[in-house]
Amino acid sequence: MVSKNLEIADVFRRHGAAYRWAHDGHLDRVQRRVMSAIELCRTAALGGHTEVCSDCGLIRCAYNSCRNRHCPKCQGHARAAWLAARQADLLPVPYFHVVFTLPAPVAEMAFQNKEVVYTILFKTAAETLRTIAADAKHLGAEIGLLAVLHTWGQNLHHHPHVHCVVPGGGPSLDGARWVGCRPGFFLPIRVLSRLFRWLFLAALQGAFEAGELSFFGDLTGLAEPDAFAAKLRALRQIEWVVYAKPPFGGPAQVLAYLSRYTHRVAISNSRITEISEQSVTFRWKDYRHHGKTKLMTLDADEFIRRFLQHTLPDGFHRIRHYGFLANGHRAAKITLCRKLLAVPSPGPIITANVVAACAPAVSPLDTCPCCGGRMITLAVTSGPRPLRRPTWYDTS
């Protein structure tokens, strides 16, 4: 099957039954629900409605979406609404993009203990940034940050890392003035890397002592305290990757960036180029060769396995806010920041670039695709409730 409109759903509909049969004892509840949700998304099985254009008379059937956060077709509206809500948080200062990546040995532990280790990753990345920023030798300010968890690389292998978007400055520790970073420079990467490693391993040791970690397969031996301690000693000897990208040009660029990253799934439908009886072919960027775009063909069973390893536990939030952007006091802190910067609250800054990044999600659903007229609902067909119905702000 070669088409410009291939989807993850096509892979599951064609190969999902065989995968379920072959891996019946190893699929967990979340993975099974994700497969079913994507297969049924925007089909008659979930119900929908029939509508007609009031101008040209076009009739079409619109089926309900599954609203599962792992479905590549269901992220657009959530992303657009989330971005609109985030506009008021943006400040007229440079923004920096810092990425914290787990070493491969830790990623193996994370795969078997997703909720515990991913939570440690979030907390220690945020604590690292806030601790170094608060140090008078570096910035001496309270910063805020937004963190987004990604668990995949371009080839769909397990590669957990957190993207942090950070305003370049913050209120002084006494709240009396705004402290901005130096032009083009936020915080020293080597210092961030060392503190991140120390904080993460300390938290991982605490989770082990509390009995919160489980190991199986090739990692079974790590359940022994001596083996786990030896593993941590080895991890203290390697460099941990913290990467800082160049600063954004302004708040509009921050929104455009967030529109691409916040509600992303492991692979988009647009990257799939071919589905056969045995395999799936997709595009990927090889960053070891300067981001060159290549084609990768995987056995269908392996493709599904790689996709499903990025499912997240129920209720786990993959977008989190810290510092002066934390949910509990965000509004008051943002007001203080604007007062210290002597700037008013911003108007809407959703630009054409941001709209394009969200398309077709922000396109009006009641507009005729042929003439632009208004679509009117004729009839509603019932179906089972979607397998997961989060509210638009659910970023778990």
Side-chain angles (χ1 to χ4, degrees):
M1 182 189 301
V2 180
S3 169
K4 293 183 179 180
N5 299 311
L6 293 176
E7 300 179 348
I8 302 295
D10 296 319
V11 179
F12 285 158
R13 290 166 190 158
R14 191 165 190 169
H15 299 286
Y19 188 87
R20 289 184 180 92
W21 182 85
H23 302 275
D24 183 60
H26 302 282
L27 279 172
D28 61 34
R29 179 175 54 85
V30 172
Q31 292 172 330
R32 291 180 184 276
R33 191 170 66 243
V34 168
M35 291 183 69
S36 296
I38 294 176
E39 287 170 345
L40 299 177
C41 186
R42 299 186 189 179
T43 67
L46 294 184
H49 61 275
T50 304
E51 53 190 16
V52 62
C53 176
S54 58
D55 293 341
C56 69
L58 172 74
I59 297 178
R60 70 178 179 185
C61 292
Y63 296 119
N64 295 331
S65 60
C66 67
R67 302 188 187 181
N68 189 286
R69 62 174 167 172
H70 299 95
C71 176
K73 289 189 294 190
C74 290
Q75 306 312 304
H77 289 291
R79 178 170 58 241
W82 184 88
L83 286 172
R86 296 283 74 77
Q87 289 186 83
D89 301 341
L90 294 175
L91 299 170
V93 299
Y95 277 74
F96 291 83
H97 177 191
V98 185
V99 184
F100 293 83
T101 302
L102 292 182
V106 182
E108 292 179 338
M109 300 185 207
F111 184 71
Q112 298 185 5
N113 301 273
K114 290 183 177 181
E115 186 165 6
V116 174
V117 179
Y118 291 165
T119 298
I120 292 174
L121 173 57
F122 266 120
K123 290 183 177 180
T124 53
E127 186 177 354
T128 297
L129 287 168
R130 296 183 66 197
T131 299
I132 300 302
D135 190 334
K137 293 186 297 183
H138 298 293
L139 192 62
E142 177 193 4
I143 61 169
L145 66 130
L146 179 149
V148 183
L149 173 69
H150 285 183
T151 63
W152 55 84
Q154 279 281 307
N155 54 12
L156 296 185
H157 282 310
H158 188 237
H159 178 62
H161 55 285
V162 165
H163 295 264
C164 299
V165 177
V166 194
S172 58
L173 299 184
D174 60 5
R177 60 190 178 89
W178 177 266
V179 181
C181 61
R182 301 203 307 265
F185 178 81
F186 182 47
L187 295 171
I189 295 302
R190 189 174 183 85
V191 175
L192 291 174
S193 175
R194 296 294 174 84
L195 181 58
F196 173 55
R197 180 179 62 188
W198 185 85
L199 290 173
F200 188 97
L201 293 179
L204 194 65
Q205 176 68 47
F208 179 83
E209 294 174 353
E212 298 174 350
L213 300 179
S214 301
F215 301 107
F216 52 87
D218 294 340
L219 301 184
T220 301
L222 291 180
E224 297 297 326
D226 290 343
F228 187 80
K231 189 71 166 181
L232 294 193
R233 284 196 297 271
L235 288 169
R236 292 188 183 97
Q237 304 306 312
I238 64 176
E239 292 294 332
W240 287 41
V241 177
V242 176
Y243 174 60
K245 296 186 177 182
F248 298 102
Q253 285 192 8
V254 175
L255 277 181
Y257 167 82
L258 292 176
S259 71
R260 297 192 302 270
Y261 273 80
T262 53
H263 294 73
R264 182 178 288 183
V265 298
I267 182 171
S268 62
N269 288 331
S270 62
R271 288 174 55 193
I272 300 177
T273 61
E274 184 177 355
I275 303 172
S276 72
E277 291 296 333
Q278 294 83 29
S279 63
V280 179
T281 301
F282 61 95
R283 285 187 296 271
W284 68 293
K285 290 183 179 180
D286 187 352
Y287 290 113
R288 293 185 178 180
H289 292 85
H290 310 290
K292 183 179 179 180
T293 299
K294 300 180 179 181
L295 291 178
M296 178 176 290
T297 299
L298 297 176
D299 181 83
D301 188 275
E302 173 63 9
F303 178 87
I304 294 175
R305 185 196 70 81
R306 291 193 191 186
F307 181 87
L308 292 179
Q309 69 181 343
H310 304 294
T311 56
L312 295 175
D314 285 338
F316 187 89
H317 292 258
R318 61 183 298 267
I319 305 176
R320 304 191 184 192
H321 302 78
Y322 298 91
F324 67 69
L325 291 177
N327 293 333
H329 53 231
R330 181 189 302 145
K333 290 288 187 177
I334 290 293
T335 299
L336 172 63
C337 290
R338 292 193 175 281
K339 178 180 178 181
L340 297 178
L341 287 165
V343 295
S345 298
I349 58 172
I350 293 288
T351 65
N353 290 337
V354 178
V355 172
C358 294
V362 297
S363 300
L365 296 180
D366 59 352
T367 299
C368 176
C370 294
C371 70
R374 181 168 176 267
M375 301 298 292
I376 301 174
T377 299
L378 292 178
V380 176
T381 57
S382 61
R385 294 180 62 187
L387 298 177
R388 187 170 187 269
R389 299 178 72 85
T391 52
W392 66 264
Y393 53 81
D394 181 5
T395 55
S396 60

